[in-house]
Amino acid sequence: MEIKYDINLDVSKDDFVNNRIAEIANKAEEKTYNELGGVFRHAALDFKTQDLKSEKICWMLYEVCTLSTVPIDNPYGPSEYSYGVACSKGILDFTDSDMRFFESILPNLTNALLRGRIADMVWIRDKKKYEMALEAIKSFVTLPIERDIWFLQNKILWERAILLAIYFRKKSLENHLEIIKQQFLDIFFGMSYGKETLTFWGSICLTLQQFDIDEELGKKIIEKISRQIAEAQASRNPQEYRYCCNLLLSYQKKFQFEDQSIETVNALAESFAEEAQNAEQDILGACLCENAIRKYRKIPAKYRSKYDVNSKIHNMRRLMRQKHLASAASMEEIKIYFKDILTEEEMNECFRASKAQIAGKNMNEALAELL
């Protein structure tokens, strides 16, 4: 779908307010930019030929919604695919007049998704307007921190808000960072172990590393993760257990708790080794052995005698060979007879065509032709 409107047609805040577009934007309950873009797309089609200014505004807001979002590199660049459009606009594709219009409608815009993005865009285009970045922070931090929408979109927007808050803390302007940090701490410590919420909780855990965390708070976080590890271990789910162990390891490394981090690496290796021993499928067991060996090798030399690393690697290699041999022995031979697929005449025709295809070519050229 090609979007067409008169780029030279002047539009104003009054057009946005008086033609019900502000009402459309602010009443929209859509939770993602894709859904919100669909609202403006349909509105633009409804205004088509009847009200050219309203149509243009709706298409412009639709284009704002199609921008990609990344926290750091090139925020609001063109997305690769959106609503049938092969490549959307990027922030640099909007004219200065477009940006002035966007800035003018902010006082009449309460939709947090749209207000946050537009305010951030204005600040990116003019870094002197730091108040626009503060508006973006205030909008983004009102978005829900809920599991489904978190991974679908809001994780990126909260990360963007955190980065902006870090920047303005360094500039000695408004400090939103501690308020945001406390929100994440409350969610992190308040959430109990649950299979359905584990990766969401883990993502919150990793997001906390973007804030300043002293050693005292770090130890509390590590204690919480350790309790989650115990819950995962009790549920006898090795994947969840290792997921929690990796979260623990990231914090142990952050605070340079070397002895504890090596203990966690060993625990990860032991988990792979135990699962390899009990694996019903030999090929899976062999892969788990290889993972265990890789973890054991990450243990530094000065700790290897303590954890008996050399002996364990030797045992894992032996078990891996056994698993590979057992897997190969269990495979059934598969025979395909061409006569059951092609007639003799068809096979002869294939041979003749292949010979003609490689005639006069060297080995490499012939192989390339046949592949």
Side-chain angles (χ1 to χ4, degrees):
M1 179 188 68
E2 186 179 359
I3 301 170
K4 290 183 178 180
Y5 57 78
D6 184 356
I7 61 173
N8 297 315
L9 180 65
D10 289 330
V11 291
S12 67
K13 179 182 73 172
D14 291 338
D15 298 319
F16 175 72
V17 175
N18 297 334
N19 295 351
R20 291 185 54 252
I21 304 173
E23 183 181 350
I24 292 171
N26 293 330
K27 284 189 174 181
E29 297 180 355
E30 283 70 16
K31 294 183 177 181
T32 69
Y33 285 113
N34 280 344
E35 295 171 343
L36 187 60
V39 170
F40 292 120
R41 176 178 176 272
H42 289 298
L45 294 173
D46 289 340
F47 282 120
K48 189 173 184 179
T49 68
Q50 300 176 17
D51 186 340
L52 295 181
K53 288 189 175 182
S54 296
E55 181 190 8
K56 176 179 178 177
I57 292 171
C58 288
W59 279 131
M60 289 170 67
L61 295 176
Y62 162 78
E63 289 173 329
V64 167
C65 291
T66 64
L67 298 171
S68 68
T69 307
V70 290
I72 305 174
D73 297 326
N74 189 27
Y76 313 122
S79 60
E80 293 181 0
Y81 186 86
S82 181
Y83 292 113
V85 181
C87 186
S88 70
K89 274 189 177 181
I91 187 173
L92 297 178
D93 295 317
F94 290 102
T95 65
D96 291 340
S97 175
D98 293 338
M99 299 309 297
R100 287 193 294 272
F101 166 74
F102 289 143
E103 185 177 359
S104 72
I105 68 173
L106 278 173
N108 301 96
L109 195 57
T110 59
N111 185 299
L113 278 179
L114 200 56
R115 182 180 177 85
R117 174 167 283 193
I118 287 178
D120 201 6
M121 288 170 59
V122 173
W123 177 72
I124 290 171
R125 287 282 292 263
D126 187 349
K127 293 297 176 67
K128 294 178 181 178
K129 296 180 178 179
Y130 69 86
E131 71 279 2
M132 291 289 101
L134 299 180
E135 286 298 327
I137 295 172
K138 292 175 184 177
S139 295
F140 288 147
V141 299
T142 65
L143 299 175
I145 307 176
E146 298 169 352
R147 184 190 63 176
D148 294 337
I149 194 67
W150 176 257
F151 288 112
L152 187 62
Q153 170 185 269
N154 287 1
K155 177 179 183 291
I156 294 174
L157 301 180
W158 273 92
E159 287 177 350
R160 180 66 184 158
I162 292 168
L163 286 170
L164 288 172
I166 290 172
Y167 178 82
F168 285 103
R169 179 198 61 183
K170 293 177 180 177
K171 294 289 184 180
S172 300
L173 297 171
E174 292 186 42
N175 186 4
H176 299 271
L177 201 59
E178 286 302 314
I179 298 172
I180 299 172
K181 174 183 172 181
Q182 192 57 52
Q183 283 182 268
F184 279 88
L185 285 171
D186 291 342
I187 294 171
F188 172 76
F189 285 111
M191 193 178 300
S192 58
Y193 177 81
K195 184 175 182 179
E196 294 183 353
T197 58
L198 181 60
T199 54
F200 172 52
W201 175 82
S203 181
I204 298 296
C205 178
L206 293 174
T207 301
L208 280 170
Q209 293 191 3
Q210 298 181 46
F211 302 99
D212 290 335
I213 298 175
D214 58 29
E215 189 170 314
E216 182 181 354
L217 178 56
K219 287 179 178 178
K220 292 178 181 179
I221 292 172
I222 286 173
E223 288 174 5
K224 170 68 173 178
I225 299 172
S226 298
R227 291 196 294 273
Q228 296 287 83
I229 289 174
E231 293 282 353
Q233 193 169 27
S235 71
R236 301 189 67 80
N237 188 314
Q239 288 78 25
E240 293 178 10
Y241 170 77
R242 290 193 289 267
Y243 178 80
C244 292
C245 281
N246 280 315
L247 292 176
L248 178 63
L249 186 61
S250 69
Y251 275 89
Q252 289 169 335
K253 288 181 176 179
K254 178 180 177 66
F255 293 101
Q256 299 180 347
F257 296 156
E258 186 179 22
D259 291 348
Q260 295 93 322
S261 66
I262 299 305
E263 184 178 349
T264 303
V265 172
N266 181 68
L268 284 164
E270 295 286 280
S271 175
F272 281 120
E274 182 181 355
E275 191 177 358
Q277 291 278 1
N278 300 325
E280 294 181 2
Q281 296 178 339
D282 293 312
I283 190 65
L284 174 60
C287 292
L288 291 166
C289 286
E290 186 175 357
N291 288 336
I293 291 169
R294 286 177 179 171
K295 288 297 179 185
Y296 282 130
R297 283 175 174 164
K298 289 185 177 181
I299 297 176
K302 66 179 181 178
Y303 290 94
R304 286 179 185 171
S305 60
K306 176 180 178 179
Y307 293 103
D308 196 20
V309 170
N310 292 336
S311 176
K312 289 175 180 177
I313 289 178
H314 175 75
N315 292 336
M316 280 295 99
R317 283 174 173 165
R318 183 172 59 187
L319 180 61
M320 185 168 62
R321 285 194 296 270
Q322 292 173 357
K323 293 287 185 181
H324 277 306
L325 289 172
S327 176
S330 65
M331 292 181 182
E332 296 182 2
E333 185 178 3
I334 300 174
K335 294 182 179 180
I336 299 176
Y337 296 95
F338 285 105
K339 65 183 180 62
D340 295 331
I341 303 174
L342 303 173
T343 65
E344 184 175 353
E345 182 179 349
E346 289 171 330
M347 283 191 288
N348 289 333
E349 179 59 33
C350 286
F351 293 145
R352 286 194 294 270
S354 297
K355 287 180 180 180
Q357 193 174 358
I358 64 175
K361 296 180 173 61
N362 61 36
M363 180 66 73
N364 291 335
E365 293 170 338
L367 287 172
E369 284 289 337
L370 294 174
L371 289 176

